Amino acid sequence: MGVHAGRKGRRWRKARATCLSISTLCHICGHEGAGEADNDPVPRDELIKLGLDPDNPDYLKPAHGTSSPCETCGRCCNQVKGNKPKSVRVTGSRAW
């Protein structure tokens, strides 16, 4: 598999486009308009450690990020979530 170039290059752009062609519903906040792809449920670093391809669209889900913040809740969901598995949805209010 070799060294991964990170989030750039033709392979990544193709994987991201494939993910977003299926849905733009953010898997973190549940709102439409996601423009980034997030490795979920397994973080990118873990996929690499396991010898799996982090650019495989099967390991990607749509998310809002710095290039496409959520128009509903205003968050960059992928950055708020960070490099950890999603446990609960990121929302703007408290859980009651």
Side-chain angles (χ1 to χ4, degrees):
M1 193 164 310
V3 176
H4 297 276
R7 295 296 189 226
K8 57 186 174 182
R10 183 176 299 153
R11 289 184 73 240
W12 167 247
R13 287 191 308 270
K14 185 176 178 181
R16 181 181 156 274
T18 299
C19 172
L20 296 174
S21 72
I22 296 167
S23 173
T24 59
L25 183 69
C26 179
H27 79 102
I28 300 169
C29 72
H31 298 133
E32 278 291 339
E36 292 187 7
D38 176 37
N39 287 106
D40 187 75
V42 181
R44 181 178 184 277
D45 295 343
E46 290 298 315
L47 290 170
I48 293 170
K49 286 179 189 176
L50 294 169
L52 300 172
D53 181 9
D55 293 342
N56 182 334
D58 293 338
Y59 302 125
L60 298 174
K61 291 184 181 174
H64 293 107
T66 54
S67 65
S68 62
C70 180
E71 291 185 14
T72 304
C73 62
R75 294 184 186 250
C76 297
C77 301
N78 200 15
Q79 283 67 29
V80 170
K81 175 183 157 274
N83 189 23
K84 57 191 176 296
K86 179 184 74 166
S87 57
V88 294
R89 283 190 177 178
V90 177
T91 62
S93 64
R94 294 181 276 177
W96 295 96

